[in-house]
Structures are given as C-alpha cells and as structure tokens.
Amino acid sequence: MRFALALLAALVPSAAVASMWTDPDWGTMIAKSDLIVRAEVTEGGTFEATVKIVATFRGAAPAESIVVGGFNNGNWPADAVQKESFVAGEAYFLFLRAVSLKEVELLAVRDPKRKPLVEKAKAGLVYAVWTPTAGDVPIGTEGVRYRLGGTGYSQHQGARSVEELERFLKAAVAAADGKPDAAYLKELKAGLASAKAVDPDYPHRLLAYEYAGGSELLPSFDAVTRGGDEDAMRSVARIAGRAGGNEARGLLVAHLDQSDGVVQGEAVRQLGAGAFPAGEVAPL
C-alpha cells in the first residue's frame, strides 16, 4: 500500500502529498527494483508512457512493451511538468517497481481517465519509477548524466557513455545478488590505485567499486578520510564497515573528526553495524 500511495502521489495532481518523497540510494534501486532496463519511448505521455525494452539488467518483463508511470508530478509548474513528460523517441535507463492490479484499480477510481490502465495491469504490464526525481535516467546525444552519490536529477554532471553505465549496472546487480564481478572490481581497484583522492573522477570510481561489491581497503582511503568529497568519505565509511578489522575501525574513528555531520553519522552507523569486536568499537 505504501508504494500505491507513492504512485498516486506522483500520478494524481490532487494528491495532498504529491510533492513529498524521499529518493532511494543506488544500492536500494539496484537491489530492490523489479525491473532495470534500457528502453525507448514509443508512446509518450505526461504521467504515463509506453516504452519498448531494449536491454534488461534485472528482472524479466512480461512483454517487450510496458507502461511506465511515476516520472512526473502534477503539482509542479506547468513548464516543469511538460519538461518531465516522456516523449516518443526518447531513451532512458529505467529502475522500476511493478504496480499491482489493486493499485491501478485504486488509481482508476481516483482518476477515471486512468481506467485503460486496468487492462494493462491485468497482464502485469504496468510499472513505475521510484519517485518523480529518481528511477529514470535520460540518454542524450552526448551520453548519460548521473551521479552515484545520489539518484536525483544530475543534469549538471559530466556525460558518461551508455556502455559505462551498462557495465556498472551489470556488475552492481551481480554484487547485489551475491555474485561480484571479479574482473570489474580488479579494473576499478587498478584505477583507484593510480588515482589521487583529489581527482575529480575519484568519487565516481570509488562509489562504483562500493556498489560492485568492493570490500578491500585501499591505500588512497587514508587521504579521503583526512577530508574531501562527502560522497567519497561516506563510501569509504561503508566499505570499511563491510571490511571490518582494526584498519577499518581506524578509518571510521578518523571519520568522527570530520566537521560534516553526514560523514560522522555514516561512521557511527558503520561502527555500530560493522564486523568489530564487541566493546572495542571506538573511544568515546
């Protein structure tokens, strides 16, 4: 029912909570999406659209074409709603949750114009992105713009190739399923070993390493811990929590000296949940 309410909030402009949601992180989207695909829009729309699946990274769609919703918000200004509408010919990476028949029937009661979706739902063809700002990554002529430190809009990020994102998704899905891609991790480790923590692309590589299942502490982590990019410091904290042991504990304790409360909070969380001996977590 929670997902049904989120879908209604995204699709029905009159919903009272239509402008309140929390974007998931990449780990959640990768591990818990029912379907992760690269798709082309064949029939555009403001609140739902029909897409043709080109490549699948998680799950199995019941058909080549499915209906996707949840990517827009009727409470946004008209120009924003128009901008976020799906247009035929566009291409996206989509992180999707299946929408049940019951959820679509509830939607149709609130908005009779959605009644045609009911038949689609009976065939299991209705899906929705996670929130209006997370779960649909547009593919432009220059490539794909995304940030592994967050799943919200990333139009100001530098463009990366479609192939790079596809390879990351394959490795991250495999890691989420307990089957890390050793070759991909080895390649990322080599890149991180030759890079400096202050390099602009370092946080992206580090987060890719984390989501691909990396758990080995790397020499450059000391420099990250001394201060720098927030995404990188939080990623080091999560990897340290995953690794456990004295060296990892030292990195996390060093994180506590940072003035950034978000970084400190991640360190505390990992110290409490990581593989550390009871009673020997950190000096207080």
Side-chain angles (χ1 to χ4, degrees):
M1 181 59 69
R2 182 179 178 182
F3 186 60
L5 292 175
L7 179 66
L8 285 169
L11 298 188
V12 182
S14 60
V17 294
S19 294
M20 297 185 293
W21 59 80
T22 300
D23 290 337
D25 60 21
W26 280 89
T28 299
M29 285 207 313
I30 289 167
K32 297 186 177 181
S33 288
D34 296 310
L35 200 60
I36 301 177
V37 300
R38 177 163 59 87
E40 297 176 355
V41 180
T42 56
E43 183 178 340
T46 303
F47 296 107
E48 62 262 350
T50 300
V51 303
K52 177 183 177 182
I53 296 172
V54 177
T56 301
F57 305 94
R58 176 178 283 289
E64 184 180 50
S65 292
I66 59 173
V67 175
V68 174
F71 51 80
N72 217 330
N73 186 308
N75 277 14
W76 282 338
D79 58 338
V81 171
Q82 181 179 6
K83 181 180 179 182
E84 296 307 317
S85 299
F86 277 23
V87 177
E90 292 180 335
Y92 292 86
F93 283 94
L94 298 171
F95 299 77
L96 303 169
R97 305 290 300 278
V99 183
S100 71
L101 174 60
K102 182 177 181 180
E103 290 168 335
V104 174
E105 288 176 336
L106 178 61
L107 177 63
V109 168
R110 294 183 60 116
D111 185 358
K113 291 184 295 184
R114 300 298 196 277
K115 286 184 178 179
L117 287 177
V118 173
E119 291 303 314
K120 296 286 187 181
K122 289 179 180 178
L125 297 175
V126 181
Y127 290 80
V129 298
W130 283 76
T131 74
T133 51
D136 57 315
V137 181
I139 302 172
T141 56
E142 75 287 357
V144 191
R145 298 181 188 275
Y146 61 101
R147 171 178 157 264
L148 292 182
T151 55
Y153 290 142
S154 300
Q155 61 266 38
H156 300 301
Q157 299 295 312
R160 298 180 182 274
S161 71
V162 168
E163 293 75 17
E164 179 181 344
L165 180 52
E166 286 190 340
R167 190 172 184 205
F168 165 73
L169 288 175
K170 290 175 183 178
V173 168
D177 292 341
K179 302 175 182 178
D181 183 333
Y184 184 70
L185 284 173
K186 182 178 180 180
E187 181 180 319
L188 287 173
K189 283 172 56 179
L192 288 167
S194 63
K196 296 181 179 179
V198 294
D199 290 348
D201 205 41
Y202 183 92
H204 179 86
R205 296 182 187 180
L206 178 59
L207 284 156
Y209 175 73
E210 175 197 342
Y211 286 126
S215 59
E216 181 178 336
L217 301 180
L218 304 178
S220 58
F221 287 3
D222 285 331
V224 174
T225 303
R226 288 195 294 270
D229 182 88
E230 180 183 291
D231 289 342
M233 286 192 285
R234 292 175 64 196
S235 183
V236 165
R238 290 189 293 265
I239 294 171
R242 184 183 295 168
N246 289 332
E247 183 181 356
R249 181 174 55 192
L251 286 171
L252 290 170
V253 171
H255 273 61
L256 298 178
D257 292 331
Q258 294 296 324
S259 59
D260 189 318
V262 175
V263 172
Q264 291 179 335
E266 189 63 60
V268 170
R269 185 161 39 251
Q270 296 303 324
L271 283 166
F276 303 101
E280 299 182 14
V281 170
L284 297 178

